[in-house]
Amino acid sequence: MMERLSVESFDKSYADICQRLKIAAEKSSRSFENIILLAATKTVAPEMINYAITKGIKYIGENRVQELLQKEKDILPVTRHFIGHLQTNKVKDIIDKVDMIHSVDSLKLANEISRQAIKKNKNIDVLLEVNIANEASKWGFAPSEVSEYVEKIATLDNISVKGLMAIPPVCNSGEENRKYFCEMYKLFIDIRTKKIDNSSMDILSMGMSDDFDIAVEEGANLVRLGTALFGRRL
Ligand SMILES: *Cc1c(COP(=O)(O)O)cnc(C)c1O
């Protein structure tokens, strides 16, 4: 694992990102305090993650089970999310090590999360992943079926549905993805308006290093940033 940025460069990147988040939040009539900045920590060494935590990062997210398990014991207290594709047979390995799973993309996975959470006697927050651009290569529910799955998953024990997550086409520029962020926000509000039992639509997780300002302008309240905080992955 590489340490890609010096601590001084982290300080500068972090300050710049906070400033950009403030501006984007104000454009959408919200404030910086309402936006969660999650550090996507794949390939980042525990020492650097801990430095980021001492500087104010309160949420981190890993996207691979193996890497999460390798690093978790070395990381300071912080809220931990799982943000990558999760195989059903790996749920048991992470269930007691994360506070939220962003990437629920099937009923089968949700059932297993519920089963393992019951075993551990814990409650786990989840987001449903939406394949907003209908990409063949992407995980996630089709936009038209999300509401129905929120209803189904909300009935499972020891799971709380807290919102939606999306990864729009990675090759697009931020502006090209604006329409997808906008569609996600509409979907989020539509589902919130239905007030589905045992669910809440509090969190809209979208926006990465190349497009987070635009995602926030369009209504995101959780952005997942790797490169922008820690430098390019090698
Ligand atoms: C790596 C990753 C990110 C962050 O990507 P950057 O472009 O480096 O900011 C966000 N979300 C998920 C699911 C990721 O795997």
Side-chain angles (χ1 to χ4, degrees):
M1 248 169 271
M2 293 295 298
E3 200 146 330
R4 298 165 299 176
L5 268 192
S6 64
V7 293
E8 294 80 11
S9 348
F10 174 86
D11 291 349
K12 185 176 181 311
S13 302
Y14 185 38
D16 287 349
I17 288 166
C18 291
Q19 189 55 33
R20 285 168 63 184
L21 283 173
K22 274 193 191 93
I23 294 168
E26 279 160 20
K27 278 193 187 166
S28 59
S29 309
R30 291 172 302 158
S31 72
F32 174 66
E33 288 69 37
N34 302 124
I35 313 292
I36 293 174
L37 165 51
L38 176 141
T41 49
K42 59 172 167 274
T43 77
V44 182
E47 302 75 53
M48 187 65 194
I49 299 174
N50 288 339
Y51 179 77
I53 294 169
T54 61
K55 287 290 167 164
I57 290 289
K58 295 186 176 63
Y59 295 80
I60 65 166
E62 285 287 344
N63 66 320
R64 290 200 197 87
V65 170
Q66 201 190 346
E67 189 175 343
L68 181 150
L69 296 176
Q70 270 170 12
K71 295 197 291 199
E72 56 109 8
K73 286 184 199 67
D74 298 324
I75 293 173
L76 294 171
V78 64
T79 302
R80 295 158 196 241
H81 289 183
F82 190 79
I83 61 177
H85 177 62
L86 182 56
Q87 288 174 287
T88 306
N89 65 353
K90 301 276 174 65
V91 172
K92 61 179 183 314
D93 301 331
I94 65 157
I95 192 74
D96 53 355
K97 299 188 166 63
V98 295
D99 305 289
M100 180 182 279
I101 298 172
H102 285 224
S103 40
V104 172
D105 56 7
S106 71
L107 191 54
K108 182 173 167 240
L109 176 61
N111 272 314
E112 177 63 5
I113 293 170
S114 167
R115 205 170 73 88
Q116 296 296 341
I118 292 167
K119 272 195 188 173
K120 289 280 181 339
N121 197 22
K122 77 172 265 179
N123 190 77
I124 182 132
D125 292 341
V126 301
L127 306 179
L128 269 58
E129 183 168 353
V130 183
N131 185 358
I132 191 63
N134 286 309
E135 293 173 275
S137 61
K138 283 275 170 71
W139 305 100
F141 296 104
S144 60
E145 60 182 16
V146 183
S147 175
E148 168 196 333
Y149 280 100
V150 171
E151 279 183 38
K152 287 185 177 148
I153 293 170
T155 65
L156 301 176
D157 290 330
N158 296 45
I159 281 193
S160 303
V161 178
K162 293 287 185 189
L164 306 179
M165 178 270 220
I167 309 175
V170 182
C171 54
N172 282 358
S173 77
E175 277 304 332
E176 286 170 315
N177 279 336
R178 188 184 288 276
K179 62 177 180 296
Y180 296 123
F181 294 135
C182 186
E183 282 173 34
M184 278 298 298
Y185 184 71
K186 281 202 195 104
L187 190 60
F188 177 74
I189 296 298
D190 281 352
I191 297 175
R192 180 150 82 187
T193 309
K194 290 183 184 168
K195 295 194 191 310
I196 297 169
D197 281 352
N198 302 313
S199 77
S200 63
M201 282 288 129
D202 295 334
I203 295 188
L204 182 54
S205 165
M206 58 185 192
M208 302 175 18
S209 292
D210 290 333
D211 54 20
F212 69 91
D213 319 67
I214 291 169
V216 170
E217 286 171 26
E218 297 301 332
N221 58 14
L222 188 158
V223 295
R224 308 177 308 266
L225 305 184
T227 312
L229 275 172
F230 300 111
R232 196 165 293 284
R233 286 181 289 279
L234 297 167

